[in-house]
Amino acid sequence: QVQLVESGGGLVQAGGSLKLSCAASGRTFSSYAMGWFRQAPGKEREFVAAISWSGGTTSYADSAKGRFTISRDNAKNTAYLQMNSLKPEDTAVYYCARRVAGLGYVSTRVEEYGYWGQGTQVTVSS
């Protein structure tokens, strides 16, 4: 089985920073692209950032560019999302996800990820 567990969420004031972690278990973590998505109340789950299996390619939503950084440490089976200059509109439940078996390239599409964590709440106060 593949399990993803997010941590690092919390309450932060606008302009502050948080670093989310996604600890993964299961077979061949390093072979899969990883992504971060978020979902605010009443809204659809949306793409935030993704990273290829090697870490050499990243992709960001326009809303995240220049503020967020995705990274991974395959030796620790962990993906990260560093979030800086947070805004109230960043408030959401953040999910990490892994692409389906054997796919190591970045994707921005929810439907192209096969495994999801339980989510971690990020709340940014004004």
Side-chain angles (χ1 to χ4, degrees):
Q1 290 186 324
V2 175
Q3 292 185 323
L4 305 174
V5 180
E6 302 96 335
S7 62
L11 175 64
V12 65
Q13 292 186 344
S17 299
L18 285 173
K19 187 174 184 178
L20 307 182
S21 297
C22 175
S25 63
R27 191 159 64 102
T28 59
F29 170 80
S30 63
S31 297
Y32 305 102
M34 299 291 295
W36 285 96
F37 295 77
R38 67 187 183 188
Q39 188 166 22
K43 297 185 178 181
E44 295 184 349
R45 191 167 298 186
E46 66 176 0
F47 168 76
V48 177
I51 187 167
S52 65
W53 70 269
S54 67
T57 303
T58 58
S59 181
Y60 296 93
D62 288 342
S63 61
K65 289 180 180 178
R67 300 189 300 125
F68 294 2
T69 302
I70 188 171
S71 61
R72 67 191 298 162
D73 186 339
N74 289 342
K76 296 182 178 180
N77 294 322
T78 303
Y80 305 94
L81 184 68
Q82 177 67 51
M83 303 185 293
N84 299 324
S85 302
L86 284 163
K87 305 174 182 179
E89 51 263 45
D90 295 319
T91 296
V93 176
Y94 283 71
Y95 299 89
C96 67
R98 199 205 77 181
R99 291 202 68 185
V100 297
L103 298 179
Y105 302 102
V106 297
S107 172
T108 64
R109 302 175 65 181
V110 169
E111 63 269 26
E112 293 187 352
Y113 290 80
Y115 298 94
W116 297 84
Q118 82 287 352
T120 185
Q121 177 70 47
V122 172
T123 302
V124 184
S125 62
S126 60

